[in-house]
Amino acid sequence: MTNSNSIYSCDDEYGNINVLDDGKHRILSFAEGDEQSKQSIATPYVLQHEYTQAMMLVLLFKQPKRITLLGLGGGCLLTTLHHHIAGINITAVELRQNVIDIAERFFRLPRGKKIQVIQQCANQYLERNDQKKVDILFTDIYNTKGMDESVLQQKFIEQCDRHIKEDGWLVLNCWSEHTNHPELIEYLRTYFLDIRALDTGCGNWVILASKSFQTPTEKQLKNQAQKLSSELGFNATKWLSRLNEL
């Protein structure tokens, strides 16, 4: 980010929000040296951050019609999913209204009848009972201090479970320091049958958890990863090679 210029900055009760531009990318930052979101200006639907690429491995196991994103950021995941899957219903939940406004203004957040963006705390949203269950629930909840530690709690995992269909998936983005976190794994095993994870090697530990057992062969997964790589514009096979069952 050393060659990036600040093109917008604001503050709210949670801290500073900065939008940077290096000529090729738009970057959302919550603190100096931080990249909350990074988007290619030329190809906004191609994910730039490695952890977001790893999170997309869930598409090897599930072709969703309805998803929820907890944590919006610049909306990079939403943009990619909207571009990649025709007719998908997407709900994004974001705590900070300023972040929503910035995603729309500077990161070309898609709009449409099947896209709903809700300004609310993720934990409060999970307590609601007025939303349809989803095929995939993505959690990417970070603030100026890092990952929201509530993600590691049993209550959070239980509430996520309530929002997911019986054949659905939960995708968690955690810090690498939480790798093989014993309590978190115990909580996940209470509600999910098929749990897989990978260390991206860039500071993130990504977990994919299904409420039903999945039985694709290694060859099938590799073939699907090659196809996904071509469609999404990054090497999904690399991330698949790091994915292990827990």
Side-chain angles (χ1 to χ4, degrees), residues 2-227:
T2 54
N3 297 321
S4 300
N5 297 314
S6 176
I7 59 173
Y8 181 79
S9 181
C10 67
D11 295 278
D12 62 15
E13 60 185 298
Y14 303 101
N16 178 253
I17 307 172
N18 206 7
V19 180
L20 307 171
D21 192 311
D22 65 6
K24 295 183 178 180
H25 303 94
R26 285 281 168 85
I27 299 163
L28 179 68
S29 176
F30 291 164
E32 186 174 353
D34 160 73
E35 288 188 357
Q36 184 69 22
S37 298
K38 185 175 185 179
Q39 186 180 73
S40 167
I41 295 173
T43 53
Y45 44 82
V46 177
L47 293 168
Q48 302 299 303
H49 279 156
E50 293 186 323
Y51 80 88
T52 58
Q53 296 177 6
M55 293 174 79
M56 295 296 278
L57 284 183
V58 71
L59 299 182
L60 299 179
F61 303 94
K62 185 68 178 178
Q63 292 302 307
K65 295 181 179 179
R66 184 177 300 276
I67 68 167
T68 291
L69 304 167
L70 301 182
L72 176 67
C76 298
L77 277 172
L78 189 157
T79 297
T80 297
L81 289 161
H82 174 72
H83 178 83
H84 177 64
I85 306 173
I88 190 171
N89 287 276
I90 304 175
T91 297
V93 182
E94 170 58 48
L95 174 65
R96 305 167 76 172
Q97 183 61 48
N98 283 345
V99 169
I100 297 173
D101 295 341
I102 286 170
E104 293 176 341
R105 178 179 174 186
F106 294 101
F107 292 85
R108 290 182 279 179
L109 191 72
R111 297 181 180 181
K113 293 181 179 179
K114 294 187 176 183
I115 297 175
Q116 181 183 30
V117 180
I118 299 173
Q119 188 270 309
Q120 190 172 30
C121 168
N123 290 289
Q124 292 177 350
Y125 175 83
L126 289 175
E127 292 175 356
R128 295 169 54 174
N129 296 310
D130 60 339
Q131 299 291 330
K132 293 182 179 179
K133 291 189 176 185
V134 298
D135 299 299
I136 304 175
L137 176 61
F138 291 88
T139 78
D140 189 20
I141 312 173
Y142 283 73
N143 52 43
T144 56
K145 297 180 180 179
M147 191 186 85
D148 188 329
E149 293 292 324
S150 68
V151 173
L152 303 174
Q153 305 303 313
Q154 183 173 10
K155 181 180 179 182
F156 182 86
I157 302 301
E158 178 185 5
Q159 289 178 326
C160 286
D161 168 71
R162 289 195 303 105
H163 281 259
I164 301 171
K165 294 178 182 178
E166 287 305 311
D167 60 347
W169 284 79
L170 171 65
V171 181
L172 298 172
N173 174 35
C174 302
W175 285 128
S176 290
E177 65 192 63
H178 301 124
T179 301
N180 297 321
H181 190 287
E183 288 82 9
L184 177 58
I185 294 174
E186 179 183 348
Y187 302 149
L188 286 167
R189 285 177 176 162
T190 301
Y191 303 99
F192 297 90
L193 298 177
D194 188 344
I195 306 170
R196 308 173 190 230
L198 67 99
D199 190 327
T200 64
C202 56
N204 297 82
W205 187 49
V206 173
I207 301 170
L208 314 179
S210 173
K211 296 174 75 170
S212 61
F213 283 112
Q214 305 296 311
T215 57
T217 65
E218 184 176 341
K219 182 178 180 180
Q220 287 173 328
L221 285 175
K222 286 183 178 180
N223 289 339
Q224 291 173 30
Q226 290 174 357
K227 183 174 182 289

